[in-house]
Amino acid sequence: MFEILLDGNSEADKLEKAANNLIVLSREEAGAERIFQNNGVALLLQLLDTKRPELMLAAVRTLSGMCSGHRARATAILHAVRIDRICSLMAVGNEELPLTVCNLLQAIIDALSGEDKPEHRGKEEALVLDTKKDLKQITNHLLDMLVSKKVSGQGRDQALNLLSKNVPRKDLAIHDNSRTIYVVDNGLRKILKVVGQVPDLPSCLPLTDNTRMLASILINKLYDDLRCDPERDHFHKICEEYITGKFDPQDMDKNVIAIQTVSGILQGPFDLGNQLLGLKGVMEMMVALCGSERETDQLVAVEALIHASTKLSRATFIITNGVSLLKEIYKTTQNEKIKIRTLVGLCKLGSAGGTDYGLRQFAEGSTEKLAKQCRKWLCNTSTDTRTRRWAAEGLAYLTLDADVKDDFVQDIPALQAMLELAKTPDKTILYSVATTLVNCTNSYDVKEVIPELVQLAKFSKQHVPEEHPKDKKDFVDMRVKRLLKAGVISALACMVKADNAILTDQTKELLARVFLALCDNPKDRGTIVAQGGGKALIPLALEGTDVGKVKAAHALAKIAAVSNPDIAFPGERVYEVVRPLVSLLNTQRDGLQNYEALLGLTNLSERSDKLRQKIFKEKALPDIENYMFENHDQLRQAATECMCNMVVNKEVQERFLADGNDRLKLVVLLCGEDDDKVQNAAAGALAMLTAAHKKLCFKMTQVTTQWLEILQRLCLHDQLSVQHRGLVIAYNLLAADAELAKKLVESELLEILTVVGKQEPDEKRAAVVQTARECLIKCMDYGFIKPVS
């Protein structure tokens, strides 16, 4: 492979194959070791020197494979390639290389910190390396990359991603947050510098649309990772010194950077941002910059005002002082970019009352006017993406008003423009789009209104939240239909694939809420599956906030309950659906979630034994049995149907064979229920079990004294499917043992079999009559009965 790659005259397709082969080899332990032993690292470095993008990518990917899961190799590679070289590769301006190098660094960090380490014994364990020094060196280099002019925007994004992923603790139960403390002491100013970048100033570092957002997220994660007040005070002090150090009456650029930094912190740890707003001179500086001649100053100041008015208490201060200022700018400015931002500021202040119809901040009709303007900007493709992003943000606030959301969903060009925006590389828009969709589908949490309390509140002259007439169910259903028609699912599927740092857990929760609202009507679920909704839901159900995971799992259950799993979750993906569905069987969840999860599992369990095995391994069996005892008819039916499919599995049958449990008794008694559907499912399960093991045929006659009566009732049932299952059970018992057969023949069962066997078999009854005749033939074989002729 290396000979082909390092030969300057090799053909292009040969090169490509050789490069891919190396990558595949490096992902296998034996292959990685082989490359490493045969001077592979030096040869890969030669490939990096060729400066040919495709060979460089192949070399980095091969190194990634060699590092993952092997601490000693990762250390050797880190020292051979050198961290500064890795970082300089990550600083390149194209899209693909920084991402690939970021994956390499992540593999090295995981291997060094033992994150992905399986239990090693013997020789691997003997190499106890102290990796703290290397990890610290990597952190330092990443922090240096943040403020270097030579690093491209993509490289800076990847450095921020790596810091976000690896510095804060994964789990707050771990006591040690020394990595965060180290980064706060040595790198917080560098991160603040990135947050404070103003794209229009000459001193600005190379950025992408996502860079400042990623830096805000990193600051937020670091702040959340602090353990005590002194640590938070120290953090606050560094930020305060950084911002006040920038204020300079002589140099306007520095003031703009200071305000931009505050604005960035407000998008991260909001409490900290709020404290910084209270610093002497910050608010005054914002107001002063609003009145500046330069459009850059105005842009930054208006954005900061918008971010500052997130809390209602703060917003009231800004409503009294800022609205007139924003209106003034809105009327006087000729610049579209500033106009849209002041508009969003007004939108945000206008929606401070939330969904409460009675708490409108502005006069009747003005929110609709603002929304109309936002929609106009959204549709205008000649404006830049950042400006259109602000229009989407404005709608995220205004769509709390039911009139606005109804108009917006009917404005197809605006709706589609927003969904197209969600698919662009600028991912900072995700939260706004997700919020708008949650508002349009009314999938936010609504508190239950208790009529007595409302009367009490009115009596004591307290404000009572009012529901808007257009928030009633039929309006919401109409909106969902329109969203699906506009192609919302493909936009959501695109959003789910976004990079993890920007797709925060809160955004995932919003997307899960939207999905659940869209899946509500069974008729729409086919459309959702066809556009890739099933696939997109799986990652949302596996990670995120607890609420988000439950909502996504519920949406998955709704899809799995009614659609063909092979189409909804093609390939191996179907196995990933099992765990979210099993999590919904928890008794803490509500009845509808339990019921739909059982339906989904029933559908999956009939596909293949591998799926039944997966359901069994996820420990779903005790929960399914638990719901078979349930008083609620539908839950009991769904659980019994699910068990009927599960008993085909050998391990499940062994559970029934084991001594000292009442599993079989429960199934036999359910066969005697009055509910036809429960009877049908239970009889099906019993038929499978008695066919599989003779021991269960005997066990069936011992678990309850009513077994014979129940069996006779099944064989006489009005419903042919239940009757057929009853006759199959009878046949299994007859075939199991002569003594057992004698017991059956001596009872009234023989008469029943004779009556059924003598019927004329029409199309519907053929199977029933045939089974009854087979039972009688079995009795003849034993010599218990003789033919008449």
Side-chain angles (χ1 to χ4, degrees), residues 106 175 181 433 586 753:
Q106 187 60 55
H175 208 59
I181 300 294
V433 174
N586 187 329
L753 292 174

Side-chain angles (χ1 to χ4, degrees), residues 58 63 170 708 784:
L63 287 169
K170 301 267 189 302
L708 192 57
F784 295 148

Side-chain angles (χ1 to χ4, degrees), residues 467-701:
E467 190 190 42
H468 194 290
K470 285 188 180 172
D471 275 332
K472 301 261 188 300
K473 179 134 178 53
D474 42 350
F475 277 102
V476 177
D477 293 345
M478 267 315 289
R479 289 202 286 271
V480 166
K481 286 256 180 300
R482 289 204 164 107
L483 283 170
L484 283 168
K485 204 171 168 188
V488 68
I489 297 292
S490 57
L492 287 170
C494 204
M495 289 160 80
V496 171
K497 289 184 190 141
D499 193 26
N500 237 356
I502 283 188
L503 188 68
T504 54
D505 288 350
Q506 282 70 27
T507 314
K508 284 182 192 164
E509 183 186 313
L510 294 177
L511 295 178
R513 284 172 183 277
V514 176
F515 264 121
L516 183 56
L518 296 172
C519 292
D520 195 46
N521 186 342
K523 288 177 187 163
D524 296 333
R525 292 175 203 168
T527 317
I528 292 169
V529 167
Q531 295 175 359
K535 198 167 97 181
L537 266 168
I538 296 172
L540 295 178
L542 295 174
E543 48 191 48
T545 62
D546 291 339
V547 176
K549 288 197 284 196
V550 171
K551 300 259 182 212
H554 192 185
L556 271 178
K558 283 180 183 291
I559 288 176
V562 296
S563 41
N564 178 346
D566 300 339
I567 295 168
F569 316 107
E572 296 294 303
R573 238 178 232 107
V574 68
Y575 299 105
E576 293 178 41
V577 180
V578 174
R579 184 174 295 166
L581 295 193
V582 173
S583 71
L584 288 182
L585 297 181
N586 187 329
T587 44
Q588 306 288 304
R589 306 272 161 262
D590 66 50
L592 183 64
Q593 291 172 342
N594 303 150
Y595 176 66
E596 290 185 321
L598 285 167
L599 292 184
L601 288 170
T602 306
N603 200 359
L604 292 178
S605 58
E606 100 188 292
R607 305 308 300 176
S608 70
D609 201 55
K610 218 169 157 191
L611 268 168
R612 289 189 279 275
Q613 188 67 26
K614 175 77 175 157
I615 294 172
F616 180 78
K617 278 202 173 136
E618 290 293 345
K619 302 190 173 58
L621 222 58
D623 288 324
I624 297 171
E625 285 165 358
N626 176 25
Y627 288 110
M628 286 165 73
F629 281 106
E630 190 63 52
N631 281 334
H632 193 286
D633 291 345
Q634 281 172 298
L635 270 176
R636 191 173 53 206
Q637 175 202 326
T640 314
E641 284 173 358
C642 191
M643 186 57 87
C644 177
N645 286 343
M646 288 298 292
V647 293
V648 184
N649 181 276
K650 279 205 172 68
E651 290 186 47
V652 178
Q653 290 168 6
E654 280 162 19
R655 285 285 191 89
F656 279 88
L657 282 165
D659 292 328
N661 66 59
D662 286 341
R663 287 192 179 89
L664 194 66
K665 180 178 181 178
L666 173 64
V667 175
V668 176
L669 291 175
L670 285 174
C671 290
E673 281 288 315
D674 294 334
D675 185 335
D676 288 352
K677 287 177 176 169
V678 173
Q679 251 184 321
N680 194 30
L686 195 55
M688 302 260 202
L689 288 166
T690 48
H693 294 279
K694 281 187 182 176
K695 186 181 170 187
L696 289 173
C697 296
F698 293 109
K699 198 172 174 182
M700 174 186 162
T701 62

Side-chain angles (χ1 to χ4, degrees), residues 171-362:
D171 179 7
L172 293 179
I174 303 167
H175 208 59
D176 174 29
N177 68 342
S178 55
R179 284 187 295 199
T180 297
I181 300 294
Y182 179 78
V183 169
V184 169
D185 288 341
N186 297 289
L188 182 55
R189 287 179 182 79
K190 293 175 180 172
I191 304 166
L192 288 171
K193 182 171 179 179
V194 179
V195 166
Q197 292 300 307
V198 180
D200 305 332
L201 293 183
S203 62
C204 183
L205 299 166
L207 304 174
T208 68
D209 291 335
N210 302 332
T211 311
R212 287 190 60 239
M213 189 66 173
L214 286 167
S216 292
I217 290 169
L218 174 57
I219 292 177
N220 193 27
K221 284 190 169 177
L222 291 173
Y223 191 70
D224 285 347
D225 198 42
L226 300 175
R227 286 205 326 247
C228 56
D229 285 346
E231 287 178 7
R232 286 185 202 97
D233 293 341
H234 177 57
F235 196 100
H236 177 254
K237 194 172 164 217
I238 294 176
C239 294
E240 186 179 327
E241 283 171 4
Y242 182 85
I243 289 162
T244 47
K246 287 278 177 210
F247 283 147
D248 182 352
Q250 274 19 89
D251 185 349
M252 215 49 188
D253 286 2
K254 278 187 166 179
N255 295 329
V256 173
I257 290 172
I259 296 300
Q260 182 82 317
T261 311
V262 175
S263 166
I265 296 173
L266 281 164
Q267 291 171 351
F270 187 78
D271 307 341
L272 177 66
N274 242 340
Q275 290 172 350
L276 295 171
L277 278 178
L279 287 178
K280 188 169 179 257
V282 173
M283 274 298 193
E284 292 82 347
M285 181 56 76
M286 277 190 201
V287 176
L289 286 174
C290 280
S292 160
E293 297 293 309
R294 273 202 316 184
E295 69 168 64
T296 309
D297 303 353
Q298 284 192 342
L299 271 182
V300 170
V302 172
E303 281 188 25
L305 267 177
I306 295 169
H307 293 309
S309 56
T310 299
K311 258 207 165 95
L312 191 58
S313 57
R314 281 272 157 200
T316 43
F317 165 75
I318 293 172
I319 285 170
T320 46
N321 301 308
V323 171
S324 51
L325 188 70
L326 287 173
K327 279 185 180 165
E328 188 54 38
I329 297 174
Y330 184 65
K331 280 179 196 154
T332 54
T333 181
Q334 297 303 311
N335 185 325
E336 289 272 290
K337 291 179 180 177
I338 294 172
K339 219 177 178 71
I340 180 97
R341 283 163 177 77
T342 48
L343 180 73
V344 172
L346 291 167
C347 295
K348 194 166 185 178
L349 297 171
S351 69
T355 52
D356 184 352
Y357 186 47
L359 253 191
R360 294 179 146 194
Q361 303 288 344
F362 292 155

Side-chain angles (χ1 to χ4, degrees), residues 138-200:
I138 293 174
T139 307
N140 286 336
H141 272 280
L142 290 174
L143 289 170
D144 290 342
M145 281 182 75
L146 297 185
V147 290
S148 162
K149 279 252 171 167
K150 294 177 186 162
V151 177
S152 70
Q154 283 94 348
R156 201 172 307 305
D157 286 2
Q158 298 307 340
L160 286 163
N161 273 336
L162 281 167
L163 288 166
S164 281
K165 231 177 183 173
N166 299 298
V167 174
R169 292 168 289 175
K170 301 267 189 302
D171 179 7
L172 293 179
I174 303 167
H175 208 59
D176 174 29
N177 68 342
S178 55
R179 284 187 295 199
T180 297
I181 300 294
Y182 179 78
V183 169
V184 169
D185 288 341
N186 297 289
L188 182 55
R189 287 179 182 79
K190 293 175 180 172
I191 304 166
L192 288 171
K193 182 171 179 179
V194 179
V195 166
Q197 292 300 307
V198 180
D200 305 332

